[in-house]
Amino acid sequence: MQLLKSLLLVGVVVVLFSQATFSPKNQSLLSDSLLTGEQLAHRYCQGCHLFPDPSLLDKQTWEKGVLPYMGRRLGIRSSAIDPYRGLFAEEKQKVMAAGLYPRKPLLSKADWQKIVSYYRTQAPEKLAPPRTVTNPYPSLPNFSVRAISFQDDHTPQTTLLTYDTLSHQLFVGDRQKKLWVLDSEFKLQHEHHLDSPPSALRVQANGELQVLTMGSLMPSDLNLGNLLCIDSGGAIRLQLHSLPRPVHFTECDLNQDGKKDVIVCGFGHQLGQLAWYESYQESNPVVHILKALPGARKAVVEDFNRDGRPDIVVLMEQAQEGVYLFTNEGQGEFREQALLQFPPVYGLSSMEVLDFNGDGYLDLLVSNGDNWDYTNILKNYHGIRLYLNDGENHFKEAWFYPLYGANQVVAADFDQDGDLDLAAISFFPDMIQHPEQGFMYFNNLGNLNFEAHTVPEAAKGKWLTMEVADYDQDGDLDLILGSYLYSLMDLGTLTLQGQKKFPQLLILNNGLRQPAP
C-alpha cells in the first residue's frame, strides 16, 4: 500500500510538473530546443497579436511574404535583408529606438527553422474558396447608376468622400493633395490645395471645414499629418500638427469640462497611436495617448455603460486587430477592454456602431478585407460580419457574408421598410472573375436574412470610399462611391476587361421617391 501511495505520488508530481512546464504561462521554463515548431510558434508568434494559424495563408505566402517579416521582428535576418531599407533618417531613428527589430536574435536559427518548417508543412497549398452563398442578383431594383468624372484626364485616386446635408455639397479628397467641392449635380464649385492627401473631413456649425491630412498616403512613420481648418474664404489655419499618418478624428468633450477635445486615429505604419487632445482648440492642448500602437482606424464616441460619460469604441488594424472599448472612468481616465480580436492577417477595414436589431444595445458591424500588405491573396475569411450585443457588452457573430477584399460597410434603411439594409465596397475583389463585386448591396429580409445584389457598373473602378447621402433631396438615401486606381496594374486590369474610361465617382441614385421639383 505504501509503495502504491509512493507510485501515485510520483505520478501526480510528474503530471503536475508536465502541466506546469508545458502550460503557456510556464513555457519559458523549458529550453527552446526542447519545443516543437508549433510550440515555438505559439511562444514567439503571439507576443503582439493573436496566434496566426497556418491554415490562414497558403504555403507560398507564408514563405515569401510573412515569415521573412516575422523573422526580422525576432532578430533573424541575413546581411541581404535590412529592415530599415528605404526609411528616411528620422524614420529609421524612431523605429530603431522603438526596438522593433532586435539587434540580436531572440531564438536560435535552428529553432527559427522549426517555426518555418511548422508553417510550411501545415499550411495548405491553396486557400479554399469561401463557403457557398447564393450568387448576388446582377441588378439593384429602385436604383439607377451613373459614372462621373469631373476632372478630365485625371486618374481617379479618391481618398475622401463627405456629404454636407446643410450646404448640399460633396467634398472629394484626392491623393494629389486636392479637396474638391461639388454641388448637388456633381459640378465642381471650388478646389482647395492642401499640404498632403486628406483622409477625413467635418463641416462645423459655422460652415468652416476641419480637414485631416495624412502627411503621406503610403506607409510612413514620419509625423507629417495635420488637422486644418478652412474658413469660408478659403484661408487655412493649423489646429494640430505632427500627427502620425492620421486617418480619422472625432470631436467630443471627453472630460466634460465644457471645452472641446478631439480623438485622432494616428494609423502610422510600424509606429502609431490613438490619442485624444484635451482642449485642442487652445494654444497648448494636452495630449493623452490611449494606445501607443499603429493601426487606429476609426473612433466612435458612445455611452456604452450608460453612466453619462462618453466612452470610445475604436477599430484597430495592423498587429492588434480588433475592436476595443475605452470606458470613461472620469477625470480624463479610461479603462481599455477588447470587445473583438482577430489574427493579424484578417485585415479589418471598417466599423459601424449601431443598434442593429432594436433591442436597445449597441452592436458592431465590421468589414475585413485589407490586403495592402505582405499577404495579397484572395482570402475566404474576408467579408462582412455583424456582432450582436448580449446586453453585457459581449459580442457574438450573428451573420457573415464572404466578400474578397471588403473595405467598408454601412447600414441604412434604403428601402424605408423599417429595418437596416447594408451596402459594402471592396478594394480587393476578385478582379478577374467578379470585378462587379467591388460593390455589394444587401436587402434586409428580416431574421438576419439578406438578399445580395450588385451592379455591372461597379466593374468600372476600384472603390476605396463610400458615402450615404440624399444628394438629390428627394427623401431617400443614395450611395456615392469613390474610385482609387493605385498603379498601372490597376489600369491595365480594367483596360483588359474592356474599360475605356475610369470614372472618379459612381452614383447610385435611389428611385424610391421621385426627385423634388
Side-chain angles (χ1 to χ4, degrees):
M1 181 65 70
Q2 185 63 39
L3 177 60
L4 180 58
K5 287 183 178 180
S6 299
L7 290 173
L8 287 172
L9 179 60
V10 170
V12 170
V13 170
V14 169
V15 170
L16 290 176
F17 176 77
S18 299
Q19 290 176 342
T21 303
F22 287 93
S23 68
K25 183 177 180 180
N26 297 291
Q27 271 192 347
S28 59
L29 299 175
L30 273 178
S31 169
D32 279 358
S33 61
L34 299 179
L35 299 179
T36 66
E38 181 177 3
Q39 290 170 325
L40 288 165
H42 276 276
R43 171 180 287 189
Y44 288 102
C45 301
Q46 60 181 2
C48 57
H49 50 68
L50 288 187
F51 175 72
D53 192 87
S55 64
L56 293 175
L57 299 170
D58 60 72
K59 292 182 189 294
Q60 182 175 350
T61 303
W62 279 117
E63 290 187 53
K64 304 297 184 183
V66 177
L67 288 172
Y69 179 75
M70 289 170 60
R72 293 196 290 272
R73 285 297 188 111
L74 296 173
I76 304 293
R77 60 178 185 264
S78 66
S79 58
I81 300 178
D82 180 6
Y84 308 108
R85 183 176 57 192
L87 299 183
F88 290 99
E90 181 183 345
E91 280 184 291
K92 180 178 179 179
Q93 184 178 11
K94 291 170 61 178
V95 174
M96 291 183 70
L100 299 183
Y101 302 104
R103 294 186 178 183
K104 295 183 179 180
L106 301 184
L107 73 169
S108 70
K109 287 188 176 181
D111 285 329
W112 169 245
Q113 286 305 314
K114 288 184 183 179
I115 294 177
V116 172
S117 178
Y118 165 65
Y119 279 96
R120 182 186 294 130
T121 57
Q122 296 301 312
E125 292 290 341
K126 184 179 180 180
L127 292 189
R131 64 176 176 81
T132 303
V133 294
T134 303
N135 289 330
Y137 291 96
S139 62
L140 186 53
N142 294 328
F143 282 83
S144 60
V145 185
R146 59 179 170 138
I148 288 179
S149 290
F150 52 88
Q151 290 283 297
D152 294 334
D153 300 322
H154 179 79
T155 300
Q157 292 189 316
T158 306
T159 61
L160 175 152
L161 285 178
T162 300
Y163 181 79
D164 178 36
T165 57
L166 294 179
S167 65
H168 308 299
Q169 293 176 318
L170 178 68
F171 298 90
V172 182
D174 189 85
R175 183 181 180 179
Q176 305 305 319
K177 308 177 185 179
K178 301 286 184 64
L179 177 65
W180 292 300
V181 185
L182 310 184
D183 63 17
S184 59
E185 296 181 351
F186 304 103
K187 303 296 184 183
L188 182 61
Q189 300 295 302
H190 305 289
E191 178 178 288
H192 299 285
H193 296 262
L194 306 174
D195 57 84
S196 63
S199 56
L201 180 146
R202 172 178 171 267
V203 182
Q204 300 185 100
N206 62 3
E208 292 187 337
L209 308 178
Q210 281 185 298
V211 183
L212 195 64
T213 58
M214 300 179 69
S216 172
L217 182 69
M218 301 307 294
S220 172
D221 284 309
L222 294 176
N223 292 358
L224 301 176
N226 295 313
L227 181 60
L228 310 175
C229 188
I230 306 177
D231 66 21
S232 58
I236 299 176
R237 66 180 185 274
L238 188 64
Q239 290 189 310
L240 293 175
H241 62 87
S242 303
L243 303 174
R245 200 166 166 240
V247 295
H248 187 265
F249 72 102
T250 302
E251 186 182 79
C252 178
D253 183 6
L254 288 174
N255 55 0
Q256 299 177 306
D257 64 352
K259 299 178 181 179
K260 294 180 179 179
D261 312 310
V262 67
I263 308 162
V264 178
C265 293
F267 193 96
H269 178 216
Q270 300 180 85
L271 306 172
Q273 67 183 35
L274 170 70
W276 67 281
Y277 295 75
E278 183 179 349
S279 305
Y280 78 103
Q281 293 182 337
E282 298 183 357
S283 57
N284 294 302
V286 180
V287 184
H288 303 270
I289 297 177
L290 294 169
K291 203 171 183 67
L293 288 173
R297 180 63 185 87
K298 183 179 182 180
V300 176
V301 175
E302 292 282 359
D303 184 6
F304 248 76
N305 57 1
R306 306 180 184 185
D307 65 353
R309 300 190 187 106
D311 307 311
I312 308 170
V313 188
V314 178
L315 179 73
M316 293 292 297
E317 302 180 15
Q318 300 290 80
Q320 284 195 2
E321 295 211 5
V323 177
Y324 296 83
L325 172 64
F326 291 84
T327 302
N328 195 332
E329 305 274 72
Q331 305 299 315
E333 298 295 327
F334 291 85
R335 173 172 48 86
E336 180 181 347
Q337 173 190 352
L339 300 180
L340 300 173
Q341 289 183 292
F342 302 87
V345 298
Y346 261 57
L348 293 184
S349 51
S350 76
M351 171 190 71
E352 296 291 313
V353 181
L354 71 173
D355 181 6
F356 190 86
N357 55 1
D359 64 355
Y361 299 103
L362 291 171
D363 308 308
L364 298 172
L365 178 66
V366 299
S367 64
N368 70 295
D370 181 10
N371 242 6
W372 217 329
D373 54 19
Y374 302 94
T375 63
N376 192 355
I377 60 172
L378 298 175
K379 299 169 184 169
N380 54 20
Y381 43 86
H382 277 178
I384 311 300
R385 289 175 161 82
L386 173 64
Y387 293 87
L388 296 181
N389 191 336
D390 67 356
E392 299 292 334
N393 290 338
H394 302 135
F395 295 85
K396 183 178 181 180
E397 183 180 296
W399 180 77
F400 169 67
Y401 189 93
L403 178 61
Y404 288 136
N407 189 62
Q408 185 183 355
V409 60
V410 295
D413 188 4
F414 291 101
D415 55 9
Q416 299 184 1
D417 64 351
D419 55 28
L420 293 174
D421 311 299
L422 306 177
I425 53 174
S426 165
F427 191 63
F428 297 97
D430 184 345
M431 290 297 292
I432 304 301
Q433 299 294 328
H434 295 289
E436 77 284 355
Q437 292 187 15
F439 168 78
M440 296 285 292
Y441 177 90
F442 301 91
N443 180 27
N444 191 341
L445 303 178
N447 297 318
L448 298 177
N449 293 310
F450 294 85
E451 184 180 77
H453 295 261
T454 186
V455 293
E457 292 88 348
K460 293 179 179 290
K462 292 194 67 179
W463 312 108
L464 183 64
T465 50
M466 175 170 56
E467 177 71 313
V468 178
D470 181 14
Y471 77 88
D472 56 1
Q473 305 169 57
D474 66 349
D476 52 34
L477 293 173
D478 312 302
L479 286 156
I480 306 169
L481 314 185
S483 180
Y484 188 102
L485 301 185
Y486 171 65
S487 65
L488 291 175
M489 183 178 295
D490 289 342
L491 286 168
T493 301
L494 292 173
T495 301
L496 288 174
Q497 292 174 346
Q499 303 298 333
K500 297 180 180 180
K501 295 184 178 180
F502 309 104
Q504 291 172 278
L505 304 176
L506 196 67
I507 312 300
L508 291 94
N509 178 262
N510 192 341
L512 190 66
R513 295 173 179 265
Q514 293 296 320

